C-alpha cells in the first residue's frame, strides 16, 4: 500500500530579498501535492525535487530573468530620454529664473531709486522747513521790540500836560501799531506750529520710505546674490522647505501698490511742504511790509505832531513877547496916568480954593461974573479930566492884570508845548530809531 504525503514546494524570490521585502508563499494548490513512496516515508520527509519540478523551476527563473531584462532596458531607455529632456527643461527653467531675477533686480532698483530720491527730497524739505521755522522764531522775537516801544510811547504820551493830552492821530496810529503787532505775533505763533507739525509729518513719511528702501536694499542684495548662483557655485545648498508657499506673502500688485502708496504719501507731504514754505515767505514779506508801513505812518504822525507843537510853541512865544511888551507899555501908561492925575491935583486945589474964597464974598458981591464962570468951568474941566484919567487908570490896571494872566497862560502853555515836544521828539521818536530793521523783521 502506497501512502500519500503532502509536501509543499518552497517559493523564494531573490528580488524580494534584495529589497528586504518578505514575500508570502502562494497558497498550496491541489496539483502541487506529490505522492511519496512508503519507503521514503518510512525513512523521513524527502527534500528532493522531481525532474519536472527542476525543469519547471529553472524555466520559470529564465522567464522571469528575461522579463526583468526587458523591464530594465525599458527603464534605462526612459531614464535616458527623461534625463535628456529634463536637462534641457531644467536649463531653460534656470535661465528663465535668472532672467526674471534680473528683471526683478531692475524693478527693485527703480523703486529703490525713487524711494531714495523722495527720501532726499523729504530731508531737504525738512531742512528748508527748519530754516523757515528759525526765521519765523526770529521774526517773532523781533516783534517784541516794536511792541515794547509802541506801548512805551503810549505810556509816555499819557504823561503829557493837561492841554496837550489829546487823542490825536499819533495815538490812533500807535494803537493800530500795537494791534497789528499782536495780530502778527499770533499769526507767527500759529505758523510756527504748522511748520513744526509739517516737519513731524515729513519725518514720519521719511521713516516709512527709509524702512521700505531698507527692505528693498536687502531684497536687492539677496536677489543679486541668488542671481549670481550657477550650477558650479560652491556656496549653494539644498533647502527643501524653501519652495513651499509662505503665509502672508504679497503678490507683485500689492508689492508695487505698497511702494506707490508710500511714494504718493511722500509726494503729498512734499507738496504740502512746498506750499507751506511759500506761505511762510509770503507771510513774512507781508507782515514785514505791514510793520514797516505802519511804522512810517506812526513816524509821520509823530513828525506832523512835533511840527504842530513847534509851530504852536513858536506862535505862543511870539505872542508872549508881544504881551510882555504890552505889559511894559501898560506899566508905563499907568505910571503916566498916575503922574497926570497927580499933576491935576494942584490946579484943582487952586481953582477950588478960588471958588471957595469967592463964595465968601458979601451980599451983592456974590455974583456970577465972568471970573466966576471961568473958575467954575475950569473946576468942571479939571474934574472931568481927573475922572477920565482915573477911569483910564482903572482900565489900564485891568488891562495889565489881563496881560499878566495872558502872560502866565502863555508861559504855562509854552511849558506844556515844550514838555510835549520833549515827550514826542526826545523820548518817543528817539526810541523809535531803535526799531528793528526790515531784515530782522523778515527773520534774517
Amino acid at each position: 500500500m502506497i501512502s500519500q504525503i503532502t509536501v509543499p514546494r518552497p517559493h523564494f524570490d531573490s528580488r524580494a530579498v534584495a529589497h528586504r521585502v518578505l514575500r508570502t508563499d502562494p497558497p498550496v494548490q491541489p496539483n502541487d501535492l506529490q505522492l511519496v513512496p512508503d519507503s521514503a516515508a518510512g525513512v523521513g520527509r524527502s527534500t528532493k525535487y522531481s525532474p519536472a519540478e527542476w525543469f519547471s523551476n529553472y524555466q520559470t527563473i529564465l522567464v522571469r530573468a528575461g522579463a526583468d531584462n526587458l523591464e530594465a532596458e525599458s527603464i534605462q531607455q526612459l531614464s535616458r530620454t527623461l534625463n535628456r529632456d529634463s536637462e534641457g527643461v531644467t536649463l531653460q527653467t534656470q535661465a528663465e529664473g535668472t532672467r526674471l531675477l534680473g528683471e526683478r533686480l531692475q524693478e527693485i532698483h527703480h523703486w529703490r531709486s525713487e524711494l531714495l530720491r523722495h527720501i532726499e527730497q523729504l530731508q531737504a524739505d525738512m531742512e528748508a522747513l527748519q530754516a523757515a521755522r528759525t526765521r519765523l522764531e526770529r521774526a517773532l522775537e523781533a516783534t517784541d521790540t516794536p511792541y515794547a516801544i509802541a506801548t512805551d510811547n503810549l505810556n509816555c504820551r499819557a504823561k503829557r500836560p493837561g492841554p496837550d493830552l489829546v487823542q490825536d492821530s499819533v495815538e490812533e496810529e500807535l494803537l493800530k501799531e500795537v494791534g497789528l503787532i499782536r495780530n502778527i505775533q499770533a499769526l507767527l505763533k500759529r505758523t510756527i506750529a504748522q511748520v513744526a507739525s509739517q516737519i513731524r509729518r515729513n519725518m514720519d513719511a521719511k521713516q516709512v520710505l527709509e524702512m521700505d528702501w531698507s527692505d528693498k536694499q536687502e531684497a536687492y542684495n539677496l536677489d543679486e546674490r541668488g542671481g549670481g548662483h550657477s550650477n558650479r557655485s560652491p556656496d549653494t545648498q539644498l533647502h527643501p522647505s524653501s519652495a513651499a508657499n509662505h503665509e502672508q506673502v504679497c503678490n507683485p500688485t500689492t508689492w508695487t501698490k505698497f511702494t506707490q502708496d508710500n511714494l504718493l504719501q511722500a509726494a503729498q507731504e512734499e507738496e504740502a511742504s512746498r506750499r507751506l514754505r511759500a506761505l511762510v515767505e509770503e507771510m513774512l514779506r507781508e507782515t514785514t511790509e505791514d510793520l514797516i508801513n505802519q511804522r512810517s505812518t506812526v513816524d509821520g504822525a509823530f513828525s506832523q505832531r512835533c511840527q504842530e507843537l513847534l509851530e504852536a510853541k513858536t506862535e505862543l512865544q511870539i505872542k508872549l513877547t508881544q504881551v510882555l511888551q504890552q505889559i511894559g507899555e501898560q506899566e508905563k501908561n499907568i505910571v503916566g496916568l498916575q503922574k497926570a492925575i497927580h499933576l491935576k491935583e494942584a490946579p484943582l486945589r487952586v481953582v477950588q480954593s478960588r471958588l471957595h474964597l469967592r463964595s465968601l464974598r458979601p451980599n451983592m458981591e456974590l455974583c456970577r461974573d465972568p471970573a466966576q464962570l471961568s473958575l467954575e468951568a475950569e473946576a468942571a474941566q479939571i474934574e472931568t479930566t481927573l475922572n477920565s484919567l482915573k477911569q483910564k487908570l482903572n482900565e489900564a490896571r485891568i488891562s495889565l492884570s489881563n496881560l499878566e494872566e495872558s502872560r502866565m497862560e502863555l508861559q504855562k502853555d509854552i511849558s506844556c508845548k515844550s514838555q510835549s515836544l520833549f515827550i514826542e521828539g526826545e523820548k518817543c521818536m528817539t526810541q523809535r530809531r531803535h526799531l528793528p530793521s526790515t531784515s530782522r523783521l523778515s527773520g534774517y
Side-chain angles (χ1 to χ4, degrees):
M1 179 177 179
I2 299 173
S3 304
Q4 293 183 354
I5 301 175
T6 59
V7 179
R9 186 170 55 217
H11 181 76
F12 179 79
D13 191 350
S14 61
R15 289 175 298 173
V17 173
H19 290 83
R20 297 182 181 179
V21 178
L22 296 178
R23 295 186 60 178
T24 54
D25 295 334
V28 179
Q29 300 296 331
N31 55 4
D32 291 335
L33 300 177
Q34 301 295 332
L35 296 177
V36 182
D38 291 337
S39 59
V43 177
R45 181 176 296 179
S46 175
T47 60
K48 294 182 179 180
Y49 296 100
S50 66
E53 289 177 338
W54 172 82
F55 179 79
S56 175
N57 183 54
Y58 88 85
Q59 287 295 326
T60 300
I61 292 174
L62 289 176
V63 171
R64 185 173 297 162
D68 289 341
N69 285 335
L70 290 176
E71 183 179 3
E73 290 177 358
S74 176
I75 290 173
Q76 292 171 6
Q77 181 64 30
L78 291 175
S79 298
R80 286 191 295 269
T81 303
L82 178 60
N83 187 24
R84 182 176 62 254
D85 295 342
S86 64
E87 182 178 4
V89 172
T90 301
L91 292 176
Q92 183 180 0
T93 304
Q94 188 180 78
E96 180 67 14
T98 303
R99 184 184 66 81
L100 292 176
L101 277 176
E103 293 179 358
R104 184 62 171 177
L105 287 173
Q106 293 179 356
E107 189 175 6
I108 293 176
H109 176 71
H110 167 72
W111 291 116
R112 186 182 60 176
S113 301
E114 286 295 310
L115 288 170
L116 184 59
R117 182 173 67 85
H118 283 277
I119 289 172
E120 294 174 350
Q121 183 61 46
L122 286 172
Q123 181 64 32
D125 289 341
M126 285 192 293
E127 293 175 357
L129 286 174
Q130 187 59 44
R133 180 180 179 179
T134 302
R135 285 187 59 194
L136 288 170
E137 291 173 348
R138 290 176 180 174
L140 178 61
E141 183 181 359
T143 59
D144 292 338
T145 301
Y147 182 78
I149 291 177
T151 52
D152 187 68
N153 290 161
L154 288 172
N155 294 331
C156 289
R157 297 187 88 247
K159 299 176 182 178
R160 291 173 295 171
D164 289 344
L165 191 59
V166 294
Q167 189 175 359
D168 53 7
S169 60
V170 178
E171 184 172 350
E172 293 176 356
E173 295 302 331
L174 280 173
L175 291 173
K176 289 181 181 178
E177 186 174 39
V178 170
L180 176 63
I181 293 173
R182 286 177 178 173
N183 293 334
I184 288 176
Q185 287 177 340
L187 179 61
L188 289 173
K189 290 178 181 178
R190 291 196 301 269
T191 308
I192 289 173
Q194 290 179 351
V195 171
S197 177
Q198 185 61 50
I199 290 176
R200 287 193 297 270
R201 290 197 296 270
N202 285 6
M203 188 175 298
D204 293 340
K206 179 173 173 286
Q207 288 178 351
V208 171
L209 294 186
E210 287 175 343
M211 291 179 63
D212 195 2
W213 180 88
S214 177
D215 293 343
K216 283 180 172 50
Q217 178 69 18
E218 185 176 358
Y220 185 89
N221 293 335
L222 292 173
D223 283 348
E224 185 180 32
R225 180 181 174 185
H229 284 167
S230 66
N231 294 332
R232 296 181 179 180
S233 298
D235 56 345
T236 57
Q237 296 179 359
L238 292 176
H239 301 280
S241 61
S242 62
N245 292 328
H246 300 282
E247 295 182 358
Q248 298 179 351
V249 175
C250 65
N251 55 43
T253 302
T254 56
W255 177 83
T256 304
K257 187 177 183 302
F258 175 77
T259 301
Q260 288 176 341
D261 291 342
N262 292 337
L263 292 175
L264 178 61
Q265 182 64 32
Q268 291 175 353
E269 299 302 336
E270 291 168 8
E271 179 63 20
S273 300
R274 186 192 64 78
R275 291 197 303 268
L276 185 57
R277 290 199 308 273
L279 176 64
V280 169
E281 289 290 338
E282 182 68 16
M283 186 199 65
L284 287 175
R285 183 183 64 79
E286 291 181 354
T287 54
T288 302
E289 290 180 356
D290 291 342
L291 288 174
I292 295 299
N293 292 336
Q294 186 61 29
R295 178 193 301 180
S296 300
T297 302
V298 173
D299 291 343
F302 264 116
S303 299
Q304 183 179 358
R305 186 59 179 167
C306 288
Q307 184 65 29
E308 292 174 353
L309 288 170
L310 185 60
E311 292 176 357
K313 180 182 177 182
T314 302
E315 291 178 0
L316 290 170
Q317 288 175 337
I318 294 174
K319 185 59 66 177
L320 177 61
T321 302
Q322 295 175 355
V323 168
L324 290 174
Q325 184 178 359
Q326 286 298 324
I327 288 174
E329 294 294 332
Q330 196 66 275
E331 288 176 346
K332 292 179 182 179
N333 183 38
I334 290 173
V335 172
L337 288 172
Q338 289 175 343
K339 185 177 181 181
I341 291 173
H342 177 69
L343 292 175
K344 292 296 186 289
E345 290 180 355
L348 181 60
R349 289 195 304 270
V350 171
V351 71
Q352 287 180 354
S353 296
R354 288 176 178 178
L355 287 173
H356 176 69
L357 289 175
R358 287 185 64 109
S359 66
L360 298 177
R361 290 176 297 171
N363 300 321
M364 292 301 293
E365 294 299 322
L366 189 63
C367 70
R368 291 175 60 85
D369 54 5
Q372 181 69 26
L373 294 175
S374 175
L375 289 173
E376 289 178 356
E378 182 183 0
Q381 187 268 333
I382 291 175
E383 287 180 357
T384 301
T385 301
L386 282 173
N387 291 332
S388 297
L389 289 173
K390 288 179 180 178
Q391 182 180 357
K392 289 301 179 184
L393 178 60
N394 187 42
E395 291 177 358
R397 287 173 175 171
I398 293 174
S399 175
L400 180 61
S401 177
N402 292 335
L403 287 173
E404 289 292 341
E405 289 180 1
S406 295
R407 178 185 63 81
M408 288 187 295
E409 289 179 356
L410 287 170
Q411 288 177 342
K412 184 178 180 180
D413 205 9
I414 289 172
S415 177
C416 289
K417 297 297 183 290
S418 298
Q419 189 173 354
S420 297
L421 274 172
F422 176 76
I423 291 174
E424 305 284 3
E426 297 299 326
K427 280 194 172 182
C428 295
M429 295 191 71
T430 301
Q431 281 183 334
R432 296 187 68 80
R433 295 191 186 100
H434 297 88
L435 289 171
S437 62
T438 302
S439 60
R440 281 195 60 196
L441 292 174
S442 299
Y444 293 109

